[in-house]
Amino acid sequence: MWDIIISSLPSLLEAMIKYTIPLTIISFFFGLILAIVTALIKFLKPHENAFVRSIWGILRVIADAYVWAFRSTPLLVQLFIIYFGLPNLQNFIPGFNFEIPAFTAAVIGFSLNTGAYASETIRSALMSVPQDQWDAAYTLGFSTTQTLWYIILPQAARIVLPPLSNEFIGLVKDTSLASTITITEMFQVSQQIAAHNYQPLLMYTEVAALYAILCSILTILQHYLEKRSSRYLKGDEG
């Protein structure tokens, strides 16, 4: 048993370093950018001229539709639509090539899914900052942009850190779904090895242990960041 575990470990670690970790980091980076933009569109209410308000209203409808679509459908289905479904558009739009590499399709799918869920988390954090913070900033002559950047976002960042950390850890585990669109990440490597040594229980347990170790490390880092971000509130300078 231990011979099988030790012999398969390098291949699993290689897949983790080559695919699982980069896929998680890249997807979360783009997903977070998308989430911030979407959350701000849904949160802010411009009071400029009618044209700006109408454009913002259209953007809000698009943001609402995007969040609804990706929160209402399974991630696996989204990956299949992007990787297997989009190439079929060539049948309706001749001359266009919609084929997407597997890794790119996975990044797009995970980023869009993460952005939809994280945008609601960020919007809730923004809404949790008391209105008197805005009023006080306006009284001091701050613009809306300055108030948002210097007053609201720093407070919202502390609030949103735990749930976003959970999103990131969840994304680590969700990357196993990339195996369904031919990416040889950890889970698919374990399947390939199990097909040769006929030890599926052993291989799946090993890959589960690697996911658990990776997520445990991230959980420890999350607790450290939470402690650092709230140290001034507790009067703890250490």
Side-chain angles (χ1 to χ4, degrees):
M1 181 183 74
W2 289 109
D3 290 342
I4 295 176
I5 293 175
I6 294 173
S7 63
S8 61
L9 186 58
S11 298
L12 294 174
L13 291 177
E14 181 183 0
M16 176 194 291
I17 296 171
K18 189 175 180 179
Y19 290 107
T20 301
I21 294 177
L23 186 57
T24 302
I25 294 174
I26 295 171
S27 299
F28 190 78
F29 173 77
F30 288 112
L32 186 59
I33 293 175
L34 185 58
I36 292 172
V37 173
T38 303
L40 290 176
I41 289 174
K42 298 182 68 174
F43 173 72
L44 295 176
K45 298 177 181 179
H47 298 289
E48 285 79 6
N49 56 59
F51 176 76
V52 173
R53 291 198 301 271
S54 61
I55 294 297
W56 202 265
I58 295 173
L59 292 175
R60 185 172 290 128
V61 170
I62 295 174
D64 286 336
Y66 155 63
V67 171
W68 170 81
F70 281 87
R71 282 167 57 94
S72 303
T73 54
L75 175 55
L76 181 60
V77 174
Q78 296 163 16
L79 291 174
F80 271 50
I81 290 174
I82 294 170
Y83 184 66
F84 296 112
L86 288 183
N88 286 336
L89 289 177
Q90 296 175 140
N91 299 329
F92 304 97
I93 309 178
F96 283 83
N97 184 6
F98 289 94
E99 292 186 6
I100 304 175
F103 190 86
T104 303
V107 168
I108 293 173
F110 289 133
S111 298
L112 289 171
N113 186 272
T114 299
Y117 280 93
S119 67
E120 290 299 284
T121 302
I122 295 173
R123 186 175 68 90
S124 297
L126 291 171
M127 293 178 63
S128 68
V129 179
Q131 179 62 37
D132 58 15
Q133 298 288 309
W134 289 90
D135 299 335
Y138 290 146
T139 301
L140 294 173
F142 282 67
S143 66
T144 298
T145 302
Q146 291 174 325
T147 302
L148 186 65
W149 183 256
Y150 294 109
I151 308 297
I152 306 302
L153 286 180
Q155 298 181 66
R158 180 182 57 80
I159 298 170
V160 83
L161 179 60
L164 282 186
S165 298
N166 291 333
E167 290 273 357
F168 185 81
I169 294 172
L171 182 57
V172 172
K173 294 178 288 185
D174 287 340
T175 56
S176 61
L177 294 175
S179 64
T180 61
I181 57 172
T182 73
I183 295 179
T184 53
E185 47 69 59
M186 279 201 301
F187 182 61
Q188 186 175 94
V189 171
S190 70
Q191 290 178 306
Q192 293 172 350
I193 296 174
H196 286 86
N197 62 22
Y198 304 103
Q199 296 290 336
L201 177 60
L202 187 61
M203 294 312 308
Y204 296 157
T205 302
E206 183 178 5
V207 77
L210 289 176
Y211 275 113
I213 292 171
L214 181 57
C215 291
S216 296
I217 294 172
L218 292 173
T219 300
I220 293 172
L221 179 60
Q222 173 189 351
H223 292 160
Y224 171 77
L225 292 175
E226 290 178 17
K227 183 178 179 181
R228 292 289 297 176
S229 67
S230 60
R231 66 189 186 281
Y232 296 116
L233 294 178
K234 298 177 180 179
D236 181 9
E237 297 294 336

